[in-house]
Amino acid sequence: MPSTPEPEDGASRPLLADQRESPDAGPADDAVPPPAPVRDGGTFTKNLGALEAFAIVISIVIGSGIFTSPGSIDTNVPSPGAALVVWLIGGILAWTGASTMAELGTAIPGEGGVQPYLQYIFGDVFGFLAAWTWIIAVMPATLAILSIVFVESIYSSMGVTDQAGRIEHKLFSILILVVISVANSISTKASTRLNNFFVVTKFVSIAAVVVAGIVVIILQSTDPDRDIGGRDWFDKPWFGNREVTNPDGSKTNWDGLGEWEILGHYSAALYGALWAYSGWDKAIYVSAELRSPARQLPLAINTAIPTIVLCFLTANAAYYILLPWDVVSTTDSVAVTAITRLLGRGFGIVAAILICFVVAGSLLGNSFVAGRMAVAAANMNWLPRIFASVGRIGLKPRVEEATESPDDASGTPRAAKSDAPINAIILSAILSALYILLGNFRALLTFNGLGEYSFFFLTVLGAIVLRFREPELRRPYKPFILVPAVFTIVSGFVVIRGAFFAPVLALVVIVVWIIGLVFYWVRRRLASRQGA
């Protein structure tokens, strides 16, 4: 490859370009295996920078998890200090996975996240199965979960906490999903601007919790006898074993547990933390839209993930300061509970509204990414071509485009005003609505984790395989090999644990894969007949 800069003609060139390599390294490029093909150099315009990618990751990851997961994690650890360690480990593990994705994203061109990486490393069928699983299962389940959390956050602020299965709640969740889908159908620029607004609300929400915790520390330190906040943080050791109160009212005495039981509790806590960090991989799904992916993708990931870890640690420390420790383990709305207890019901409602904005931001970001996955799959002919169309509903061009003047030098019709993948967003919304109607929060959460982490495991394992199979492959960003190795072990553990504790849902995921393989085989057969 020549060392002189070339025009950016799609995802492949900027992703593969490594300005740090010596010009005389060019002849060695001939030995590098060709990357996975990218149709037409990419569907979307390269109009995103590191800041937009940073905001997308922040918006997706900082969602309902930081406000709902603390209780499930606290229940499964012996002390608040141990809970904070679990949150830290979860963040580090998410960072190892994201760093490995950055390595692949800067070395292998393509749209659609993990699917071009798996296609390049293991073959076409693995790339298809990843795309199929994300489009049919993972992303619709994610959007369904977030829609449910949004609605239940509203009802929780009104004291209704056990009616999530009612049809009125489900229809309300679908309405929220439709509103977010319409917002994402306007244009990429409109979506990123709205996303930036939601990012601000996320930081404001976490800052409010942290500031409240700091105020309590100051007041308690100046007047030790004052009754404010939880007081447990002031009177009890942060790393001492305690008797944990479970949501059902039972108690867990950590001094009486065996090693196997302790391991089970810690694995459950880590599982909750990893779910809270879910979305750490999403920057790679817009890598083909970055102006300079080789530089901007690692920059976005290596700034977003540490920022998220810091936010999660400080927010959780504040929860333990604001609430009695036995309350943290028994509530699923820890932030609302903490603010309500400290400042009253009115401020609790304000906190619930802010959390709704936080969840809406995650919905927007995930919907934004979900549409791009379907577009990438359609560009590979894994899905019908209608889902590769952007800026319109359906496949046929608008009348004004079809009658465009032939004076256009490129000979192509004028682009639609919207560059959003509307058909793909509609597909995602329909599937998500079905999940809302047929599923529930906990089942969807496990189903999502099994499907997602199965391919995280394969992708990061593939990065290790590629290190030995193609050591000469240009990697503008290359973390130490221990980074993907650690994540491979942990993600494998997460999949095995999830399948062991939820065999029925694991079977459902396998059925989704079998249906996908049949769909893949049928499309291949039809394509070969048309070609003949």
Side-chain angles (χ1 to χ4, degrees), residues 64 91 98 117 125-126 161 185 187 212 221 259 263 266 279 304 348 362 393 397 402 450 461 463 468 489 500 532:
S64 61
Y117 314 151
V125 69
F126 282 90
T161 59
S185 299
S187 69
S221 301
E259 292 182 0
L263 177 62
Y266 270 109
S362 292
I393 299 175
L450 285 170
L461 178 64
F468 295 96
I489 295 170
F500 180 79

Side-chain angles (χ1 to χ4, degrees), residues 52-251:
E52 287 82 5
F54 170 88
I56 288 170
V57 175
I58 292 288
S59 182
I60 290 175
V61 178
I62 301 181
S64 61
I66 183 57
F67 303 108
T68 59
S69 287
S72 63
I73 293 173
D74 184 73
T75 302
N76 288 289
V77 294
S79 67
L84 294 178
V85 170
V86 168
W87 279 102
L88 177 61
I89 292 173
I92 292 172
L93 291 173
W95 200 353
T96 62
S99 293
T100 307
M101 295 296 182
E103 174 187 343
L104 293 172
T106 56
I108 301 173
E111 300 172 329
V114 300
Q115 62 193 46
Y117 314 151
L118 288 170
Q119 182 191 30
Y120 182 85
I121 299 167
F122 296 119
D124 197 66
V125 69
F126 282 90
F128 166 80
L129 271 181
W132 175 265
T133 303
W134 249 262
I135 294 165
I136 301 299
V138 171
M139 292 310 300
T142 299
L143 295 174
I145 289 168
L146 291 170
S147 299
I148 292 170
V149 170
F150 184 101
V151 169
E152 293 313 309
S153 296
I154 295 175
Y155 280 106
S156 294
S157 67
M158 298 185 293
V160 180
T161 59
D162 57 351
Q163 303 293 318
R166 292 177 62 88
I167 188 63
E168 300 93 325
H169 289 228
K170 290 179 179 287
L171 292 177
F172 191 8
S173 298
I174 292 173
L175 175 63
I176 297 301
L177 174 69
V178 170
V179 171
I180 293 296
S181 299
V182 170
N184 262 328
S185 299
I186 299 172
S187 69
T188 297
K189 183 172 288 188
S191 295
T192 53
R193 285 177 176 174
L194 185 57
N195 184 69
N196 291 341
F197 163 74
F198 284 127
V199 168
V200 173
T201 66
K202 292 171 188 286
F203 284 133
V204 168
S205 301
I206 292 176
V209 172
V210 173
V211 168
I214 293 172
V215 170
V216 168
I217 290 175
I218 294 172
L219 294 176
Q220 192 79 74
S221 301
T222 55
D223 185 3
D225 296 326
R226 184 168 184 169
D227 185 15
I228 185 171
R231 275 202 70 92
D232 284 343
W233 71 273
F234 191 74
D235 298 328
K236 298 178 181 179
W238 279 68
F239 284 92
N241 281 6
R242 51 168 183 161
E243 190 176 61
V244 177
T245 303
N246 299 311
D248 60 1
S250 63
K251 304 283 187 177

Side-chain angles (χ1 to χ4, degrees), residues 411-427:
T412 58
R414 184 176 59 191
K417 291 182 179 180
S418 171
D419 60 347
I422 300 176
N423 296 327
I425 291 172
I426 291 173
L427 172 66

Side-chain angles (χ1 to χ4, degrees), residues 507-528:
L507 182 61
V508 173
V509 173
I510 293 173
V511 170
V512 169
W513 292 341
I514 293 173
I515 295 173
L517 289 173
V518 172
F519 183 83
Y520 176 78
W521 179 81
V522 169
R523 284 193 64 81
R524 287 285 298 265
R525 294 280 293 180
L526 291 176
S528 62

Side-chain angles (χ1 to χ4, degrees), residues 93-107 117 121 280 284 297 301-302 456-464 467 475 477-488:
L93 291 173
W95 200 353
T96 62
S99 293
T100 307
M101 295 296 182
E103 174 187 343
L104 293 172
T106 56
Y117 314 151
I121 299 167
W280 50 261
I284 62 173
L297 182 60
I301 287 174
N302 289 322
F456 284 162
F457 169 78
L458 283 176
T459 303
V460 178
L461 178 64
I464 297 173
R467 290 277 187 103
R475 296 173 174 86
Y477 180 76
K478 184 179 178 181
F480 185 57
I481 194 167
L482 185 62
V483 170
V486 168
F487 186 83
T488 300

